[in-house]
Structures are given as structure tokens and as C-alpha cells.
Amino acid sequence: MACIFKKTYARKFPEGATVVTRRGKQIAEWVDETGKKRSAEITAARDGSIRIKAVSSTWTAKYRDGEGVIREVSTGCRDKQAAAAVLKELTNRAELVRARILSPEQDKISEHQKTTVSEHIGAYIDYQQSRGRNRDHVNTYESRLLRSAQECGFRWLSDLNADRLERWLSSLTELPKDADENSEPRLVSASVYNGFVEAWVAFGNWMIGKRVNGRRSNMNGEKRMLTNPFDGMGKRDKNQDRRRIARALTEDELHRLFAAAKTRPVIAAETVRRGPNKGKRMIKLSDSRRRELEKLGEERALIYKTAVLTGLRKSELRSLVVSDLSFGDVPFVKLQHKNEKNRQGSTLALRADLAAELQRWTKGKERSDKVFRVPSSFLEILDRDMEAAGIPKVDEDGRVAHLHALRHSFGTHLSKAGVSPRVTQAAMRHSNINLTMGTYTDARLLDTAAAVEALPSFDGDAGVQSNRKQRPNCDAPHDAPTTGLRRHLESSPDHSVGNADDGKFRP
């Protein structure tokens, strides 16, 4: 019963067509946009409207598969002989399945070989979005997969190859052997390298049917490949190749940043941009426009302050909704598991003054409303605010002050305020204390001199004398930039909503 045929379907009745009768059938005749005369048999749609019958330009194969199910598969061929060859391949595979030489699963997987890698990536991204994954994470994975697929020449599934991906990534992270001393270094760090590897490993796991639900995984998903070609692909040590080392901002710099953020929108709107009066504040603003800009400045300053006093990341700040905030006896912010980097879902304590500001800011908003508007260009906004505050973006040691540096400031000022490393680690939501104390603590801002003075004095026969009066103050001041807390500060994983996983972006 195997055969090939061209499917017919109904199309919209052409505008300006005339109806004639031929051999007892009604035919529509019209002239298309190229000037050619066209004709087609008329048919009626279910709703009673008039349509014309059209024939597909490609052939369809009809056959019985290895499990005895009749299937119709588009060959994608316009040529009849080519379509017949596709039909022969399909029937041969069906015979192999019936003879148990090929499993039904392998037969289904072979169908996916005809789909391009970019289409598979699109299906993978749609799956992630349907699971409610964080939008920023999904967009990052999509851009990494599509870019590297194009650069590596991954058009079909048979092209997927870990060696080819590794060579391309190496070309971005290492200078060519014939490069001279004056060659500019590559901008891609080990962290970015690992990001590409993680994206392809996760995509490969999804392709072989692996699905993750919290900490559990199964192989019950649709299988598009038999094996993950990127499984076991090595990563690089990002601690040995950090290109953009963040620096913590000092208390004075944070005071200036908050002040500049509040006033800069109004100042920028009042300042002349070109002409003889360039740089002068001569533009008059309406009262409504001024109030709008003042509110914008207040929001920016509050975003910075929230980042410094909670350690929230950009994506986490962007995902916050009013219902995530609680202003009871112990105010806190509750991170949903899908919006947190480690996918745990945590509860973070809020300092009293910050909680009061957030409560005023969200007053009158719906529970589903976003707390902040954090645009994709927020890094550029921060750069302009720091410039207005007189804060250098890069210090003398090449360390960079960017949006994530506010999280570094959070960790550093906790340590500076005398908060114990273990509590600082919990507040930072780190699984490794070395990350907290090494990467996220700027030793240059710590008062090591005062710490040394706090040690006991060993003065010969006089024995041990305590210098406790000179012990550094561990009770942090209550002004905004200082991140030390008067009470015990730490975050706790919250598993009440959703499931946790191991912190990686999973299929």
C-alpha cells in the first residue's frame, strides 16, 4: 500500500476571479500578479464560504511503519523520483523494525535527523519557557546555542561534535601560536567558555530525553538523539582566568552613588546637549515631568541600595514582585526558585530601614506587579551614575565596578562589619565559603590594622595583656551603605514553592 501523492488543500477564493462550468464542475479563473492565467476547481468550506482546491508542490509518502501504523510523511521533494527514493527509505526502515534489527525508538530518532539544529534549539527554548524558567537565563542559553551553532557549522544533528565546539571556543580564549607580543588578548574568559559548555550539555541532555524535576531526573522525555555528544566535555578553571575582576565600592562611594542616582535624571533632562549652551542646565521642565524624573531617580537609588543590602543579582532584582516582600515583625524577601541562580528558592532578611523604603515604594501596587523596572541597559545607566558621582569604573589594579560589583560590596561590607564568615556565606547564598571569602570579599577594604591591634599583647614577664579596647567595631552603623546588620543575618533555602535542583540550568 506504500505510495506517494500530492495533497490537496483549500485556498482563499482569488480576488477578481470568474466562475465557469467545465464538464459539470465549477472552475475559478483569474490572472495572478505575474500576469499568468490560472484556474482551479471550486469547493466549499465548512462554514459555507467558497474556496478553491490547490495541490501541494511537494510529494507526500504514505506507508505502514514497523509497528503497523499507517503514516503520511512529507518528503519535501518536488521531483517524483526523489520522492519515490524517500518512500523506499521509509519502507526499508519499517522492514528493519519488523525484523527487530532496528528498534521503534531508533526509527523515531532517525526522523529527527531531517530537522535542522536551529529548529531543535527553538523547540528546546520553547520547552524551557513553558517550564517557567527565568527569562534572562533562557535568553542567554538561546543566544549562546545559536551563535556557536552557526560558528561551528552545526546545521544537522550529525554535525554536532564536542571537538569542533572545543576548537571554536579555544579560538576565542587563546591567542594563536603565531601571535606577536603586541597582539590584543581575547575578551572571552573561562567563565564565558564554561557558559557555552553548560548550554550544549544541557541541550544534549534534553535531546536524549533527559528531564529534570528538582533534584530528580528521568529519561522519559522525547528522544531526538541516542547519545549526548557533549556529555563529559571539560570546563576551565574560571578562578585562574578572571578577566573582569569586580571591586567593592567604599561607603563614601556608595553614598555618592545613591545621591547621584536620585538627582541625575532631573539634571540630565535640564542640561542642554548641543549648541552654544551645551552643558548648561537651562531646560525648563513641567511639574509632571519633574515628578516623573524624580520618581525614576528614587527607583534607581533604591535598586542600588537593595542590591548592596541584600546581595541580589540583576536577574533576581528584575524578577521581584510585590508578593515576594514581607513587612511583618521580621521583614524579608522571598526568592522564587525559578528566579534564583541556584534554583533553591531562598528567604533573605531585610534591614529595617530598607524594608521601610520598600514598603513605601510598593504602596498602592498590586501583588503581581514588579517591584522594580530593571531595563536591559541598566549597566550603562549605572556607568553614567558612577561617572556623575565621580567614581572610577576601573581602579589602579584593573578591578571593575559594574552592577555585579554591588553584590561584591555586600559581601565585603559584611566582613568589614565583623560578621562571621559562615553567616556571610549564608547571606551570600554560596555553597562554597572559599567563593565568599576569596572572590566576593575585597581584602583592601578590610581594616587589617585594627584587626591586628585586637590581638592580645605578649609583653615578656608581664604575661598576656588583652587589647580588647582596640578591637574593631563589629556593630555596623545603621546608614544605608553599610551592609552589616545588628541582628543575625543569613538566608535560608525555601522549598515551599517549586522544586530545587543543583544550581545548574537544566533541561
Side-chain angles (χ1 to χ4, degrees):
M1 65 152 291
C3 64
I4 57 173
F5 65 96
K6 287 188 175 181
K7 283 189 172 184
T8 59
Y9 59 96
R11 286 180 53 191
K12 182 180 178 181
F13 190 82
E15 187 176 351
T18 59
V19 180
V20 298
T21 302
R22 295 178 186 171
R23 297 180 182 180
K25 295 181 179 180
Q26 288 187 315
I27 305 296
E29 294 183 341
W30 73 97
V31 178
D32 66 13
E33 55 187 13
T34 64
K36 291 184 179 182
K37 291 184 178 180
R38 301 288 187 183
S39 64
E41 185 179 346
I42 294 177
T43 185
R46 291 182 178 179
D47 59 0
S49 60
I50 299 176
R51 295 285 192 272
I52 61 171
K53 289 183 178 180
V55 180
S56 173
S57 60
T58 59
W59 292 86
T60 297
K62 186 176 182 180
Y63 72 106
R64 191 182 298 274
D65 67 12
E67 296 177 279
V69 179
I70 297 176
R71 299 192 180 278
E72 292 184 2
V73 178
S74 174
T75 65
C77 300
R78 296 175 182 270
D79 181 73
K80 187 174 182 178
Q81 289 185 342
V86 173
L87 175 62
K88 183 174 179 59
E89 178 189 348
L90 293 172
T91 54
N92 287 342
R93 278 198 350 235
E95 288 295 334
L96 292 174
V97 173
R98 280 191 286 270
R100 299 191 178 183
I101 297 174
L102 191 69
S103 69
E105 183 180 82
Q106 291 171 324
D107 184 37
K108 292 177 182 178
I109 287 175
S110 63
E111 284 296 319
H112 291 295
Q113 298 292 331
K114 302 174 184 178
T115 305
T116 62
V117 170
S118 60
E119 290 177 290
H120 286 296
I121 292 174
Y124 172 65
I125 296 302
D126 289 342
Y127 171 78
Q128 296 295 346
Q129 291 174 339
S130 70
R131 292 287 306 277
R133 298 295 191 187
N134 183 274
R135 183 186 64 181
D136 290 338
H137 294 167
V138 174
N139 291 343
T140 298
Y141 266 57
E142 181 179 23
S143 63
R144 285 174 175 171
L145 290 170
L146 291 176
R147 176 192 173 189
S148 49
Q150 182 179 9
E151 295 289 337
C152 295
F154 293 159
R155 184 175 182 186
W156 306 103
L157 295 184
S158 57
D159 298 327
L160 298 181
N161 183 280
D163 289 338
R164 192 184 300 182
L165 176 62
E166 192 172 47
R167 285 195 298 269
W168 176 73
L169 289 174
S170 296
S171 70
L172 300 180
T173 57
E174 298 175 359
L175 288 174
K177 294 181 179 179
D178 56 351
D180 55 33
E181 296 180 354
N182 297 323
S183 298
E184 294 185 3
R186 300 289 182 180
L187 298 179
V188 175
S189 65
S191 179
V192 176
Y193 180 103
N194 293 344
F196 278 98
V197 172
E198 289 173 1
W200 280 105
V201 170
F203 172 71
N205 285 336
W206 179 79
M207 291 290 290
I208 63 175
K210 185 175 183 180
R211 301 294 183 263
V212 176
N213 185 17
R215 295 186 181 275
R216 298 181 179 180
S217 62
N218 61 69
M219 298 297 294
N220 298 329
E222 180 186 7
K223 294 176 175 57
R224 300 177 179 228
M225 297 180 71
L226 287 175
T227 59
N228 181 357
F230 306 101
D231 189 26
M233 189 173 177
K235 296 182 181 180
R236 298 195 173 183
D237 186 354
K238 60 184 180 182
N239 292 324
Q240 299 297 323
D241 183 27
R242 297 174 61 197
R243 304 294 176 89
R244 288 170 57 85
I245 301 177
R247 73 176 182 89
L249 300 180
T250 65
E251 292 187 28
D252 176 65
E253 288 175 330
L254 289 171
H255 276 299
R256 286 152 46 198
L257 175 62
F258 298 160
K262 283 186 177 180
T263 58
R264 194 177 66 80
V266 172
I267 294 174
E270 291 178 338
T271 302
V272 179
R273 296 299 177 187
R274 57 177 63 88
N277 293 320
K278 180 179 180 181
K280 296 181 180 179
R281 294 178 61 180
M282 299 178 61
I283 299 176
K284 293 185 178 181
L285 305 175
S286 65
D287 291 342
S288 61
R289 178 58 176 164
R290 181 178 294 276
R291 286 193 297 270
E292 179 184 345
L293 293 172
E294 287 174 348
K295 190 172 184 65
L296 177 61
E298 181 184 358
E299 181 180 33
R300 288 179 184 173
L302 187 55
I303 291 174
Y304 297 150
K305 183 174 182 178
T306 303
V308 170
L309 292 179
T310 63
L312 290 176
R313 304 172 178 89
K314 176 184 174 182
S315 61
E316 295 167 344
L317 289 165
R318 175 182 288 168
S319 67
L320 282 184
V321 294
V322 176
S323 60
D324 293 332
L325 303 176
S326 177
F327 303 113
D329 294 338
V330 180
F332 62 86
V333 55
K334 184 177 181 179
L335 283 178
Q336 302 299 324
H337 73 283
K338 65 180 181 180
N339 297 323
E340 191 177 18
K341 183 178 180 181
N342 62 13
R343 296 288 186 267
Q344 283 191 331
S346 297
T347 300
L348 311 178
L350 291 175
R351 209 173 69 177
D353 60 329
L354 175 62
E357 289 190 49
L358 288 172
Q359 189 171 21
R360 286 194 298 270
W361 175 255
T362 56
K363 185 178 181 179
K365 291 186 177 183
E366 298 293 332
R367 288 178 57 81
S368 60
D369 289 344
K370 295 286 187 181
V371 176
F372 301 120
R373 295 170 298 171
V374 184
S376 56
S377 60
F378 203 72
L379 177 58
E380 290 77 11
I381 295 173
L382 173 61
D383 288 343
R384 292 194 288 270
D385 286 337
M386 289 196 302
E387 182 180 0
I391 302 172
K393 183 174 179 64
V394 182
D395 66 9
E396 62 277 6
D397 295 326
R399 299 192 175 205
V400 184
H402 44 58
L403 193 56
H404 200 66
L406 299 180
R407 179 169 165 81
H408 285 252
S409 302
F410 174 60
T412 296
H413 286 286
L414 283 176
S415 295
K416 184 180 178 183
V419 177
S420 71
R422 178 62 189 88
V423 175
T424 301
Q425 178 192 357
M428 297 289 291
R429 293 168 285 144
H430 286 156
S431 59
N432 189 340
I433 198 168
N434 293 329
L435 180 64
T436 305
M437 303 313 296
T439 302
Y440 282 85
T441 301
D442 192 339
R444 294 173 303 174
L445 295 186
L446 303 180
D447 191 356
T448 55
V452 172
E453 289 294 336
L455 294 173
S457 174
F458 299 90
D459 188 15
D461 296 336
V464 178
Q465 298 179 0
S466 175
N467 283 342
R468 292 186 180 180
K469 292 183 179 181
Q470 300 180 28
R471 182 178 296 277
N473 180 20
C474 295
D475 190 15
H478 203 63
D479 57 351
T482 304
T483 55
L485 301 181
R486 294 181 182 273
R487 64 176 181 272
H488 190 80
L489 167 65
E490 61 180 293
S491 66
S492 58
D494 183 1
H495 305 295
S496 61
V497 180
N499 295 307
D501 58 27
D502 60 1
K504 297 181 180 179
F505 185 82
R506 292 295 193 180

